[in-house]
Amino acid sequence: MKEVPRYLVNFSLARLPREETDILIIGSGIAGLYTALKAAGRCRVAIVTKDDPGKCATDLAQGGIAAALGEADSVELHVQDTLAAGAGLSDPAAAAVLAAEGPGRVRELMDWGIPFDYQGGRLALGQEGAHSRRRILHAGGDATGAAIWQGLAARAAGEKNIRILPETMVLDLLVAGGECYGALVLTPDGSLRAVLARATVLASGGAGRLYPVTTNPAVATGDGLAMAYRAGAEVMDLEFYQFHPTVLVHPGSHGFLITEAVRGEGAVLRNQAGERFMPGYHPSAELAPRDVVARAIAREMARQGSGSVFLDLTHLDGKLVERRFPTITSTCRRLGLDPRRDWLPVAPAAHYHMGGVRTDLSGRTSIESLYAGGEAACTGVHGANRLASNSLLEGVVFTGRIADDLLNRKLRHFTTHGLEYNGLREGGPALEEAGAAVPAIMQRRVGLARDAEGLAEAAAALEVHWPLLDYPARGRREAEVRNLLLLARLLTRAAAWRRESRGAHYRTDFPEPDAAYRKRLVLARGKEDREIPV
Ligand code: SIN
């Protein structure tokens, strides 16, 4: 298989305009903002974000942030639930860090003024799938992510050491001699620029746009993961892509999430015949782990030849539904649906990538001075299936550790190494075809259910578009499509390697877990694939 070219563009660093900062953060969601806020006391921080800073997955998160803060809860129970959802592939040390440090980080968010919901003078704790206790803090009912993002963004705006560069897309990481020196960026006017940094943090979120329907925002094209791979960083667990079970199916909405917390309050799933089906699939019924619910829905849809099942909230107290889920209620009403009266048509859609850039528990990657946090990273904590509402938590726990690590080490001085690259040809084929083909291939062959034949077909179909990568990206969309094409190919390769079913990775030709696969696949550009035991 031909390797991907190292960079998306030809360049000579000596000829590029440049700026310098102590810490470059790529991404403006919870992971990027929290790292910046924790580091800004002692470092100059530049946050580069390719769109408006608020257009991030954090802003769309509904359900909440999990933390063992309830009276009947404990760190041990949170660890147990995280490991159980991860289907034997979560790293126990990472799960212990997440659960143990979570309450402290969440209390800090409270101290910073994030308005979590209270009921009867106590924190209101929601219930979601595969949690053995109510432990999901929420804000504005179902607007948790937006409340957190606004709080962090307002705080960042008041920090003189934090500078946000919006509408600036990072194309590639500048790496020489195994060290990262910052990144090449595309400025809002389309020109190339170098941002040199003493340390770089990837907080660029996920890659939901690999699939045609996703809960992710338009910016989620896996740029961080793709650029890290091109730079030689280790990436891991790529085959595990989580589909959220309940995404609204309506011509007037695309990828609108109906939070799992709705099922936590008692909503049930019904098929087209009106039958409640989840009790037949799992003892926890609607609150089974996400992968189980998503596959059950897909099976019911296939059995009945329909494009959706229904989420039924009509038996719940209408006042509670309006108060607890105001975003969902108002969005549905705008579309002519009333959750108090109508069953909501839903289907699974791409939601969260468990795989990412491999890091240790301090967020360090395999490249010196390059860190990764949030969805772009893979600490191993989520294993084969992320526990609901552990992602906002990961976005503060592990990035808090990144900031600690940055502040406790001596950041090295800039060396620019006269980097240049001329490996790409001029010109290039039209892009539209690959842009549309990648999500279609992924949905058909590398979606909720996979098999060897389909994965081979996907690999061959992706190969057709590979020559595109020999030409430079001339703008944001061209860079995004190249990143998606690369990730699609890596994800397909990892899915073909894992000849078993585990968590979110379901193989119809190997429908059971296989103990021989209690290991993870680590990929790195130009290196042999590596298998590491859990
Ligand atoms: C949800 O609210 O159902 C999504 C939360 C998550 O993905 O963790």
PDB file of all heavy atoms in Angstrom, residues 62-64 128 242 244 257-261 290 351 386-391, ligand 1:
ATOM      1  N   GLN A  62     -25.351  17.370  24.645  1.00  0.00           N
ATOM      2  CA  GLN A  62     -26.600  17.563  25.398  1.00  0.00           C
ATOM      3  C   GLN A  62     -26.541  16.942  26.783  1.00  0.00           C
ATOM      4  O   GLN A  62     -26.690  17.603  27.795  1.00  0.00           O
ATOM      5  CB  GLN A  62     -27.762  16.928  24.623  1.00  0.00           C
ATOM      6  CG  GLN A  62     -28.099  17.611  23.320  1.00  0.00           C
ATOM      7  CD  GLN A  62     -29.276  16.947  22.623  1.00  0.00           C
ATOM      8  OE1 GLN A  62     -29.873  15.997  23.127  1.00  0.00           O
ATOM      9  NE2 GLN A  62     -29.630  17.456  21.451  1.00  0.00           N
ATOM     10  N   GLY A  63     -26.340  15.612  26.801  1.00  0.00           N
ATOM     11  CA  GLY A  63     -26.568  14.818  28.013  1.00  0.00           C
ATOM     12  C   GLY A  63     -25.869  15.367  29.230  1.00  0.00           C
ATOM     13  O   GLY A  63     -26.486  15.671  30.243  1.00  0.00           O
ATOM     14  N   GLY A  64     -24.535  15.516  29.120  1.00  0.00           N
ATOM     15  CA  GLY A  64     -23.850  16.082  30.257  1.00  0.00           C
ATOM     16  C   GLY A  64     -22.445  15.574  30.451  1.00  0.00           C
ATOM     17  O   GLY A  64     -21.811  15.083  29.523  1.00  0.00           O
ATOM     18  N   GLU A 128     -27.821   7.771  32.358  1.00  0.00           N
ATOM     19  CA  GLU A 128     -27.632   7.398  30.952  1.00  0.00           C
ATOM     20  C   GLU A 128     -27.229   5.930  30.869  1.00  0.00           C
ATOM     21  O   GLU A 128     -26.918   5.296  31.886  1.00  0.00           O
ATOM     22  CB  GLU A 128     -26.602   8.318  30.279  1.00  0.00           C
ATOM     23  CG  GLU A 128     -27.131   9.734  30.126  1.00  0.00           C
ATOM     24  CD  GLU A 128     -26.218  10.671  29.340  1.00  0.00           C
ATOM     25  OE1 GLU A 128     -25.221  10.208  28.770  1.00  0.00           O
ATOM     26  OE2 GLU A 128     -26.519  11.866  29.321  1.00  0.00           O
ATOM     27  N   GLN A 242     -18.085   5.053  17.442  1.00  0.00           N
ATOM     28  CA  GLN A 242     -19.361   4.905  18.148  1.00  0.00           C
ATOM     29  C   GLN A 242     -20.496   5.576  17.385  1.00  0.00           C
ATOM     30  O   GLN A 242     -20.380   6.736  16.989  1.00  0.00           O
ATOM     31  CB  GLN A 242     -19.242   5.545  19.533  1.00  0.00           C
ATOM     32  CG  GLN A 242     -20.498   5.436  20.367  1.00  0.00           C
ATOM     33  CD  GLN A 242     -20.236   5.909  21.793  1.00  0.00           C
ATOM     34  OE1 GLN A 242     -20.198   7.102  22.056  1.00  0.00           O
ATOM     35  NE2 GLN A 242     -20.032   4.981  22.699  1.00  0.00           N
ATOM     36  N   HIS A 244     -24.289   6.922  17.812  1.00  0.00           N
ATOM     37  CA  HIS A 244     -25.288   7.228  18.837  1.00  0.00           C
ATOM     38  C   HIS A 244     -26.611   6.614  18.388  1.00  0.00           C
ATOM     39  O   HIS A 244     -26.998   6.773  17.236  1.00  0.00           O
ATOM     40  CB  HIS A 244     -25.438   8.741  19.013  1.00  0.00           C
ATOM     41  CG  HIS A 244     -26.165   9.094  20.269  1.00  0.00           C
ATOM     42  ND1 HIS A 244     -27.518   8.914  20.409  1.00  0.00           N
ATOM     43  CD2 HIS A 244     -25.728   9.591  21.454  1.00  0.00           C
ATOM     44  CE1 HIS A 244     -27.877   9.286  21.626  1.00  0.00           C
ATOM     45  NE2 HIS A 244     -26.806   9.707  22.281  1.00  0.00           N
ATOM     46  N   LEU A 257     -29.179  15.261  17.653  1.00  0.00           N
ATOM     47  CA  LEU A 257     -29.113  14.242  18.699  1.00  0.00           C
ATOM     48  C   LEU A 257     -30.331  14.314  19.620  1.00  0.00           C
ATOM     49  O   LEU A 257     -30.790  15.398  19.963  1.00  0.00           O
ATOM     50  CB  LEU A 257     -27.854  14.535  19.523  1.00  0.00           C
ATOM     51  CG  LEU A 257     -27.507  13.599  20.665  1.00  0.00           C
ATOM     52  CD1 LEU A 257     -26.918  12.321  20.112  1.00  0.00           C
ATOM     53  CD2 LEU A 257     -26.483  14.269  21.583  1.00  0.00           C
ATOM     54  N   ILE A 258     -30.827  13.139  19.995  1.00  0.00           N
ATOM     55  CA  ILE A 258     -31.805  13.099  21.093  1.00  0.00           C
ATOM     56  C   ILE A 258     -31.076  12.391  22.236  1.00  0.00           C
ATOM     57  O   ILE A 258     -30.859  11.176  22.200  1.00  0.00           O
ATOM     58  CB  ILE A 258     -33.080  12.299  20.721  1.00  0.00           C
ATOM     59  CG1 ILE A 258     -33.691  12.786  19.401  1.00  0.00           C
ATOM     60  CG2 ILE A 258     -34.087  12.356  21.866  1.00  0.00           C
ATOM     61  CD1 ILE A 258     -34.450  14.079  19.473  1.00  0.00           C
ATOM     62  N   THR A 259     -30.696  13.162  23.221  1.00  0.00           N
ATOM     63  CA  THR A 259     -29.805  12.633  24.260  1.00  0.00           C
ATOM     64  C   THR A 259     -30.311  11.334  24.899  1.00  0.00           C
ATOM     65  O   THR A 259     -31.510  11.130  25.099  1.00  0.00           O
ATOM     66  CB  THR A 259     -29.568  13.685  25.371  1.00  0.00           C
ATOM     67  OG1 THR A 259     -28.794  13.087  26.400  1.00  0.00           O
ATOM     68  CG2 THR A 259     -30.856  14.204  25.983  1.00  0.00           C
ATOM     69  N   GLU A 260     -29.332  10.516  25.248  1.00  0.00           N
ATOM     70  CA  GLU A 260     -29.589   9.269  25.950  1.00  0.00           C
ATOM     71  C   GLU A 260     -30.291   9.525  27.296  1.00  0.00           C
ATOM     72  O   GLU A 260     -30.970   8.659  27.843  1.00  0.00           O
ATOM     73  CB  GLU A 260     -28.218   8.635  26.200  1.00  0.00           C
ATOM     74  CG  GLU A 260     -28.254   7.219  26.571  1.00  0.00           C
ATOM     75  CD  GLU A 260     -26.936   6.531  26.201  1.00  0.00           C
ATOM     76  OE1 GLU A 260     -26.475   6.666  25.052  1.00  0.00           O
ATOM     77  OE2 GLU A 260     -26.403   5.860  27.066  1.00  0.00           O
ATOM     78  N   ALA A 261     -30.102  10.735  27.824  1.00  0.00           N
ATOM     79  CA  ALA A 261     -30.731  11.082  29.100  1.00  0.00           C
ATOM     80  C   ALA A 261     -32.255  10.984  29.009  1.00  0.00           C
ATOM     81  O   ALA A 261     -32.934  10.779  30.024  1.00  0.00           O
ATOM     82  CB  ALA A 261     -30.313  12.496  29.509  1.00  0.00           C
ATOM     83  N   ARG A 290     -24.302   1.672  24.606  1.00  0.00           N
ATOM     84  CA  ARG A 290     -24.676   2.322  23.354  1.00  0.00           C
ATOM     85  C   ARG A 290     -24.554   1.444  22.119  1.00  0.00           C
ATOM     86  O   ARG A 290     -25.385   1.492  21.223  1.00  0.00           O
ATOM     87  CB  ARG A 290     -23.745   3.498  23.159  1.00  0.00           C
ATOM     88  CG  ARG A 290     -24.481   4.755  23.044  1.00  0.00           C
ATOM     89  CD  ARG A 290     -23.533   5.872  23.020  1.00  0.00           C
ATOM     90  NE  ARG A 290     -24.075   6.837  23.943  1.00  0.00           N
ATOM     91  CZ  ARG A 290     -23.590   8.033  24.113  1.00  0.00           C
ATOM     92  NH1 ARG A 290     -22.509   8.402  23.461  1.00  0.00           N
ATOM     93  NH2 ARG A 290     -24.165   8.859  24.930  1.00  0.00           N
ATOM     94  N   HIS A 351     -21.061   9.269  15.869  1.00  0.00           N
ATOM     95  CA  HIS A 351     -21.095  10.179  17.011  1.00  0.00           C
ATOM     96  C   HIS A 351     -19.717  10.448  17.620  1.00  0.00           C
ATOM     97  O   HIS A 351     -19.379  11.593  17.897  1.00  0.00           O
ATOM     98  CB  HIS A 351     -22.021   9.570  18.068  1.00  0.00           C
ATOM     99  CG  HIS A 351     -22.241  10.422  19.278  1.00  0.00           C
ATOM    100  ND1 HIS A 351     -22.751  11.698  19.205  1.00  0.00           N
ATOM    101  CD2 HIS A 351     -22.037  10.173  20.598  1.00  0.00           C
ATOM    102  CE1 HIS A 351     -22.843  12.202  20.430  1.00  0.00           C
ATOM    103  NE2 HIS A 351     -22.409  11.301  21.286  1.00  0.00           N
ATOM    104  N   ARG A 386     -17.240   3.942  24.258  1.00  0.00           N
ATOM    105  CA  ARG A 386     -17.193   4.956  25.310  1.00  0.00           C
ATOM    106  C   ARG A 386     -18.475   4.969  26.131  1.00  0.00           C
ATOM    107  O   ARG A 386     -19.583   4.929  25.584  1.00  0.00           O
ATOM    108  CB  ARG A 386     -16.988   6.344  24.686  1.00  0.00           C
ATOM    109  CG  ARG A 386     -16.979   7.462  25.697  1.00  0.00           C
ATOM    110  CD  ARG A 386     -16.722   8.787  25.030  1.00  0.00           C
ATOM    111  NE  ARG A 386     -17.711   9.109  24.041  1.00  0.00           N
ATOM    112  CZ  ARG A 386     -18.868   9.706  24.306  1.00  0.00           C
ATOM    113  NH1 ARG A 386     -19.195  10.033  25.544  1.00  0.00           N
ATOM    114  NH2 ARG A 386     -19.714   9.977  23.340  1.00  0.00           N
ATOM    115  N   LEU A 387     -18.317   5.060  27.434  1.00  0.00           N
ATOM    116  CA  LEU A 387     -19.466   5.222  28.324  1.00  0.00           C
ATOM    117  C   LEU A 387     -20.032   6.629  28.134  1.00  0.00           C
ATOM    118  O   LEU A 387     -19.278   7.612  28.066  1.00  0.00           O
ATOM    119  CB  LEU A 387     -18.992   5.037  29.775  1.00  0.00           C
ATOM    120  CG  LEU A 387     -20.040   5.071  30.869  1.00  0.00           C
ATOM    121  CD1 LEU A 387     -20.991   3.876  30.777  1.00  0.00           C
ATOM    122  CD2 LEU A 387     -19.363   5.057  32.250  1.00  0.00           C
ATOM    123  N   ALA A 388     -21.351   6.715  28.067  1.00  0.00           N
ATOM    124  CA  ALA A 388     -22.014   7.999  27.827  1.00  0.00           C
ATOM    125  C   ALA A 388     -21.517   9.064  28.803  1.00  0.00           C
ATOM    126  O   ALA A 388     -21.309   8.798  29.986  1.00  0.00           O
ATOM    127  CB  ALA A 388     -23.522   7.827  27.996  1.00  0.00           C
ATOM    128  N   SER A 389     -21.336  10.270  28.274  1.00  0.00           N
ATOM    129  CA  SER A 389     -20.970  11.452  29.059  1.00  0.00           C
ATOM    130  C   SER A 389     -19.587  11.384  29.706  1.00  0.00           C
ATOM    131  O   SER A 389     -19.246  12.190  30.553  1.00  0.00           O
ATOM    132  CB  SER A 389     -22.054  11.802  30.095  1.00  0.00           C
ATOM    133  OG  SER A 389     -23.175  12.298  29.392  1.00  0.00           O
ATOM    134  N   ASN A 390     -18.778  10.412  29.276  1.00  0.00           N
ATOM    135  CA  ASN A 390     -17.372  10.405  29.697  1.00  0.00           C
ATOM    136  C   ASN A 390     -16.520  11.303  28.805  1.00  0.00           C
ATOM    137  O   ASN A 390     -15.342  11.510  29.105  1.00  0.00           O
ATOM    138  CB  ASN A 390     -16.794   8.978  29.653  1.00  0.00           C
ATOM    139  CG  ASN A 390     -16.869   8.286  31.011  1.00  0.00           C
ATOM    140  OD1 ASN A 390     -17.294   8.889  32.000  1.00  0.00           O
ATOM    141  ND2 ASN A 390     -16.474   7.036  31.070  1.00  0.00           N
ATOM    142  N   SER A 391     -17.096  11.832  27.709  1.00  0.00           N
ATOM    143  CA  SER A 391     -16.209  12.570  26.794  1.00  0.00           C
ATOM    144  C   SER A 391     -15.974  14.012  27.243  1.00  0.00           C
ATOM    145  O   SER A 391     -14.849  14.505  27.152  1.00  0.00           O
ATOM    146  CB  SER A 391     -16.736  12.528  25.364  1.00  0.00           C
ATOM    147  OG  SER A 391     -18.068  12.922  25.332  1.00  0.00           O
TER     148      SER A 391
HETATM  149  C1  SIN B   1     -26.035  12.072  24.858  1.00  0.00           C
HETATM  150  O1  SIN B   1     -26.419  13.075  25.437  1.00  0.00           O
HETATM  151  O2  SIN B   1     -26.725  11.085  24.670  1.00  0.00           O
HETATM  152  C2  SIN B   1     -24.654  12.069  24.333  1.00  0.00           C
HETATM  153  C3  SIN B   1     -23.698  12.164  25.424  1.00  0.00           C
HETATM  154  C4  SIN B   1     -22.422  11.489  25.046  1.00  0.00           C
HETATM  155  O3  SIN B   1     -22.189  11.175  23.889  1.00  0.00           O
HETATM  156  O4  SIN B   1     -21.643  11.203  25.936  1.00  0.00           O
END
